Amino acid sequence: MTGRVRTALRAVAGALGFLTRVPVGRREAAWSAFAAHPAAAVAAGYVVGAVSGAVPALALALAPALPAASVAVAYALAVYALAGVNNLDGVADCGDAMVVHGDAERRREVLADTTTGVGALAAVTLVVVALALGALALAGTTPVVALAVALAAEVGARVALAVLAAVGAAPHDGLGSALTDDAGAGTVALALVLGVPAIGWPLLVASPTAATSLLATTTGAFVGALAGAALVGAWARRRLGGPNGDVFGAATEVARVAGLHAGVIAWTLS
């Protein structure tokens, strides 16, 4: 096994260990490899997206009479069982920072404050409700569409994390700087290449007519996820001076939600 392959596998393990609850990659060497190669986050997107997306897909295929709300709850539970809830802490901290008055330094102080304010409660509530409603929309599609949207949205969210690491500059040392320091144009290119299968797989398995509709759906979910993360990244640049760990977590959650809704909208219009 070459050194590059070993490093790549270690980075993927680190991404899974840091971004999911999969019991791998918990050692310091794995984390360091992931921090040096943030594009490995895309692997976590495939794992979380495929497994969580299989929940509504199987429910629609095997038990179509199930209430859509129950299918939606099952999907949301699967997402957080796999990805954990650490990102919601980032949503909460960013929510408090959004509503505080003051400059970037004051907002960063609020990010580090353990007190939960009304901004945090509102932000987490909005994200969770939006995820549930997106999942409810998934439950109104077909098994293939549900899996396709969930996968493309999740992979898009992790591609967006790598892009944010490459284009952002953390305002201080910490988790954010660990991801941004070594990331650059190569990170963006690799993450996008790794994300292509989540968009293009319908061309390989579906008829030309169905593939066209599915391709529009997966593209919508993927681009929607990127756009959602871009909004969070732009806010962080203006209000905080750059992304930190909380921003990466919030961007991932917002990207997932935006991708779900954009994917279902694209499927509806295609």
Side-chain angles (χ1 to χ4, degrees):
M1 184 182 295
T2 66
R4 287 187 177 182
V5 172
R6 187 180 296 110
T7 298
L9 292 177
R10 189 173 291 152
V12 168
L16 291 172
F18 183 70
L19 300 175
T20 76
R21 294 176 60 82
V22 177
V24 298
R26 303 296 171 83
R27 296 183 177 180
E28 183 66 26
W31 155 249
S32 297
F34 167 53
H37 303 87
V42 180
Y46 278 103
V47 172
V48 176
V51 177
S52 63
V55 172
L58 289 174
L60 290 170
L62 302 178
L66 281 176
S70 299
V71 176
V73 169
Y75 167 77
L77 289 175
V79 167
Y80 289 122
L82 284 165
V85 297
N86 288 341
N87 286 339
L88 290 178
D89 181 65
V91 173
D93 289 339
C94 287
D96 275 340
M98 284 181 181
V99 300
V100 72
H101 296 289
D103 58 11
E105 183 177 356
R106 172 58 181 151
R107 292 176 189 274
R108 290 196 296 268
E109 289 177 357
V110 171
L111 284 177
D113 192 340
T114 58
T115 303
T116 300
V118 66
L121 294 174
V124 171
T125 299
L126 286 172
V127 166
V128 173
V129 169
L131 178 70
L133 292 175
L136 187 63
L138 278 189
T141 64
T142 68
V144 173
V145 170
L147 177 60
V149 171
L151 180 62
E154 198 70 45
V155 170
R158 308 305 178 159
V159 170
L161 184 154
V163 173
L164 184 58
V167 303
H172 55 76
D173 290 339
L175 189 154
S177 63
L179 292 174
T180 61
D181 284 352
D182 295 326
T187 300
V188 175
L190 179 57
L192 290 172
V193 168
L194 293 174
V196 166
I199 302 173
W201 66 267
L203 296 175
L204 302 177
V205 301
S207 65
T209 302
T212 300
S213 178
L214 275 176
L215 187 61
T217 298
T218 54
T219 300
F222 189 88
V223 173
L226 293 179
L231 288 175
V232 178
W235 170 80
R237 184 173 60 253
R238 291 195 308 270
R239 301 299 187 184
L240 302 175
N244 67 351
D246 287 323
V247 171
F248 280 112
T252 300
E253 291 296 313
V254 172
R256 178 190 295 121
V257 168
L260 285 179
H261 285 273
V264 173
I265 291 171
W267 175 75
T268 302
L269 298 178
S270 64

